[in-house]
Amino acid sequence: MTEQIDSNRAVAGNHQTSSGFIGMSDGKKGFIFALCAYLLWGILPFYLKSVAHIPALEVVAHRIVWSVPIAVVLLWWLGLLGDLRVAFTTPRMLAMAILTASLITVNWGTYVWAIGNNHAVDTALGYYINPLVNVVLGGIFLSERLSKAQMVAIALAACAVILLTVSSGGLPWISLVLAFSFGFYGFFRKTLPIGAIQGFTLEVLILSVPSLGFIAWTLMQNTSHFTNGAPHDTGLLLFAGLATAVPLIFYALGAKLLRYTTIGLMQYIAPTIVFFIAIFVFDEPFSHVQLIAFGLIWSALAIYAWSMVYEARKLRLGSAH
């Protein structure tokens, strides 16, 4: 999740005498933005549980549709609406945006369904695996050289997946779909020459066409929870836009201001919160086999995090000489 936005960075360094948030360094502000994003993503399952009685496709459709006005207004405020005109008139950029929009839809749909059907533990596992999937994709498609530590981490993650597959009699498909859909989304999103908020707006605008069609179909079939459900269902579905757009915007602002290593280490905050919510709040079952598998994943992530910090330190020391 390390995308960038083309918005104007707030410069606090020229106002040394100012106080509060405006007077903070870019690093501190970036940390606060990113922390808010990961905390919001971490508690998102509470919202998704509240709409668990609504079909996942309907929830995703409303997430997309109600994100559009938020994203468009933000772009207008930042003076970046012109970037969308360029994107819509550039066939290659538009085609890539359609691909990334499709991948994020798969990710959102799987996540919404999984939380609503008591698989929050599996979603946490998926987002723990995701950073290691990114390393694999970089090695395969970008010819990035994997360090020994990264190879050990990937091997441990593979052992965890094999263990869960053997114990359950099938692949942990929810975890793998989430990890790989978001991994490929991030991979292709890097090739889209547009900022994060502009890209998000472009994606939801593209997805709003089939989403509005689906919502219209539920209205014609009298199955829409937006109009035919309980009174609070309308409010819950309207809130889907805020629940989707706000953490993404916070993340984009944080990623712009933070070092790659910092944002990379912070990405474990959200799945950790989801994991504890799943076990201690949603009371999902957690077997000894799952505990061993998570132990392998946590060990893999610890090795991976150490390798990130080590490489970043080497780069800093190298640039200092």
Side-chain angles (χ1 to χ4, degrees), residues 223-303:
T223 58
S224 171
H225 286 77
F226 189 74
T227 57
N228 300 335
H232 67 276
D233 285 347
T234 302
L236 286 171
L237 290 173
L238 282 171
F239 183 72
L242 285 172
T244 302
V246 171
L248 279 169
I249 292 168
F250 277 144
Y251 173 80
L253 293 170
K256 177 73 173 179
L257 300 173
L258 284 177
R259 293 177 177 173
Y260 176 79
T261 306
T262 304
I263 203 78
L265 294 175
M266 291 182 73
Q267 68 186 310
Y268 305 127
I269 294 173
T272 300
I273 295 172
V274 173
F275 174 78
F276 284 111
I277 289 173
I279 301 299
F280 297 108
V281 180
F282 296 162
D283 199 27
E284 290 189 10
F286 191 65
S287 66
H288 293 297
V289 173
Q290 285 176 301
L291 179 60
I292 295 171
F294 268 83
L296 290 170
I297 293 294
W298 289 328
S299 299
L301 292 177
I303 293 170

Side-chain angles (χ1 to χ4, degrees), residues 79-148:
L80 298 171
L81 281 176
D83 292 352
L84 291 183
R85 287 193 292 271
V86 174
F88 276 113
T89 55
T90 307
R92 184 182 178 280
M93 192 182 300
L94 189 59
M96 186 60 69
I98 292 172
L99 174 59
T100 59
S102 301
L103 287 167
I104 202 61
T105 302
V106 171
N107 185 271
W108 285 352
T110 303
Y111 189 71
V112 170
W113 182 89
I115 297 294
N117 287 272
N118 304 315
H119 291 287
V121 170
D122 295 322
T123 69
L125 178 63
Y127 286 112
Y128 276 135
I129 294 174
N130 174 247
L132 303 177
V133 169
N134 293 340
V135 173
V136 173
L137 294 179
I140 294 174
F141 296 106
L142 300 177
S143 300
E144 293 179 354
R145 185 178 179 182
L146 302 183
S147 67
K148 291 180 180 179

